């Protein structure tokens, strides 16, 4: 049996946390030969609820669960962490402007970035789920100067999965027939799901649908799926978000399949003309625990305009929290 790794989950007492922790402990994220010690971090008022989650984790008797730490102290939460899933975030309250939301979250993610810097493994792999995910990832990364910026990523896998299913349904196929999907940009309404490079049974997806459906139906459906779920369910997508987080970390740690790729919000190296240093979603392949941005993906004028609009939004978000970026 391998040595256990430490996996920190913030917001562990929340909705996504509840859908996520049991799957991590079951081996779905890191493989069924990798024991884990879970570090559950939440805020002080959530500590009772967190004890309930711990009891349920214990009651599952997961063979791979080698320990559970519950805490409201980020220094304890990130101590020696090998992986961190930053899920906990401040939701938008009534009358809260986007700017207020950015600020409130920037405060949380700068504290957590510092705690990661001071306590975690230098090889930690960080996934930010809490919104605004890309900019929260940027803030955490900039507050952790002793750790490679490549180790901070943001989640667009849920958007990626949503896009795969929409094109599968439209073409009468299943997700098993869909490959090479890309979400470009920000995890927000400006994200760009790309059908010009996606394939369905080996055929270019955009050739199988008309432009009116692509622009008027597919893109808005993927972009606004989160809002549609809140409207229908009266609560935000938690199970599918947790599933996407499992998929993101699993691909990163254990590798992507063959020639296929996944979408990950990663530190831009200037690929595709995207400003260096933004956390931007690109097509990525992973091997041996490292991701790389897939090069040479075709970008037509339509795609370019959408990719730049999302880049612009990310640059504005970054500038809005400039004072919190060391
Ligand atoms: P929730 O409100 O059920 O849970 C959030 C948890 O975070 C709560 O337990 C809260 O106490 C905790 N928390 C707040 N501040 C914290 C801090 N400073 N440190 C540690 N814990 C803290 O929310 P839910 O549904 O679990 O969603 C969490 C986040 O994930 C939200 O920001 C949501 O917008 C985002 N999300 C992101 C998606 C993506 O695709 N990137 C998809 C769906 C949700």
């Amino acid at each position: 049996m391998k040595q256990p790794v430490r996996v920190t989950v913030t917001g562990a007492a929340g909705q996504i946390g509840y859908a996520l922790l049991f799957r991590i402990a079951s081996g779905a994220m890191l493989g069924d030969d990798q024991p884990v010690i879970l570090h559950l971090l939440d805020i002080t008022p959530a500590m009772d609820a967190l004890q309930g989650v711990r009891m349920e984790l214990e009651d599952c008797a997961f063979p791979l669960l080698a320990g559970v730490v519950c805490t409201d102290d980020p220094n304890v939460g990130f101590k020696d962490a090998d992986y961190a899933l930053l899920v906990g975030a401040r939701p938008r309250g009534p009358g809260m402007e986007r700017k207020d939301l950015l600020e409130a979250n920037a405060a949380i993610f700068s504290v957590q970035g510092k705690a990661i810097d001071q306590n975690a493994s230098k090889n930690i792999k960080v996934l930010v789920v809490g919104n605004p995910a890309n900019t929260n990832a940027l803030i955490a990364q900039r507050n952790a100067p002793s750790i490679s910026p490549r180790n901070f990523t943001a989640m667009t896998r849920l958007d990626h999965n949503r896009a795969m299913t929409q094109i599968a349904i439209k073409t009468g196929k299943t997700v098993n027939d869909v490959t090479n999907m890309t979400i470009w940009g920000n995890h927000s309404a400006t994200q760009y799901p790309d059908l010009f490079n996606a394939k369905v049974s080996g055929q270019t997806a955009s050739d199988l649908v008309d432009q009116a459906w692509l622009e008027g139906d597919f893109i808005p459906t993927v972009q606004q799926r989160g809002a549609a779920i809140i409207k229908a369910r009266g609560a935000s997508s938690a199970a599918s978000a947790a599933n996407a987080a499992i998929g993101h970390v699993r691909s990163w740690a254990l590798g992507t399949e063959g020639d296929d790729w996944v979408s990950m919000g990663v530190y831009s190296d200037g690929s595709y003309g995207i400003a260096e240093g933004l956390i931007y979603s690109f097509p990525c392949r992973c091997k041996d625990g490292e991701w790389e941005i897939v090069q040479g993906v075709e970008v037509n004028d339509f795609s370019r305009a959408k990719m730049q609009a999302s880049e612009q939004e990310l640059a504005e978000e970054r500038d809005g929290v400039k004072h919190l970026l060391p």
Side-chain angles (χ1 to χ4, degrees), residues 10-17 41-43 46 87-91 108 112 128-131 133 155 158-159 187 236-238 241:
T10 74
Q15 296 299 319
I16 294 175
L41 178 66
D42 210 297
I43 54 176
V87 178
R90 176 85 185 273
I108 295 173
Q112 294 186 353
V128 177
V129 174
N131 281 318
M155 190 168 95
L158 179 53
D159 312 295
H187 169 69
S236 65
S237 41

Side-chain angles (χ1 to χ4, degrees), residues 13 45-54:
M47 285 302 105
D48 283 347
L50 206 52
Q51 288 304 332
V53 175
R54 178 219 283 267

Side-chain angles (χ1 to χ4, degrees), residues 152-303:
F152 289 82
T153 64
M155 190 168 95
T156 51
R157 185 65 167 267
L158 179 53
D159 312 295
H160 177 103
N161 290 344
R162 286 166 171 167
M164 282 182 60
T165 299
Q166 290 305 313
I167 187 64
I169 292 170
K170 177 68 178 175
T171 53
K173 302 278 183 160
T174 75
V175 287
N176 301 299
D177 303 308
V178 180
T179 60
N180 306 88
M181 180 58 72
T182 308
I183 303 292
W184 299 95
N186 197 2
H187 169 69
S188 76
T190 67
Q191 65 173 270
Y192 171 52
D194 178 358
L195 285 189
F196 294 97
N197 291 290
K199 302 236 172 343
V200 182
S201 302
Q203 286 183 278
T204 302
S206 58
D207 292 346
L208 304 172
V209 298
D210 58 44
Q211 186 72 14
W213 180 80
L214 188 155
E215 282 188 54
D217 207 326
F218 172 73
I219 294 177
T221 297
V222 175
Q223 287 174 335
Q224 289 153 30
R225 187 71 159 183
I229 288 166
I230 292 175
K231 190 156 172 264
R233 211 173 83 88
S236 65
S237 41
S240 53
N243 179 64
I246 296 277
H248 176 115
V249 177
R250 189 179 173 91
S251 295
W252 188 2
L254 303 183
T256 43
E257 306 251 326
D259 268 354
D260 203 3
W261 62 64
V262 294
S263 304
M264 296 171 71
V266 296
Y267 187 82
S268 171
D269 60 357
S271 290
Y272 299 96
I274 301 304
E276 208 175 323
L278 288 177
I279 305 283
Y280 189 95
S281 181
F282 289 101
C284 291
R285 287 200 185 100
C286 307
K287 201 181 162 199
D288 301 329
E290 298 283 340
W291 55 262
E292 64 172 47
I293 297 171
V294 179
Q295 300 298 326
V297 170
E298 185 199 317
V299 176
N300 60 24
D301 290 347
F302 178 82
S303 299

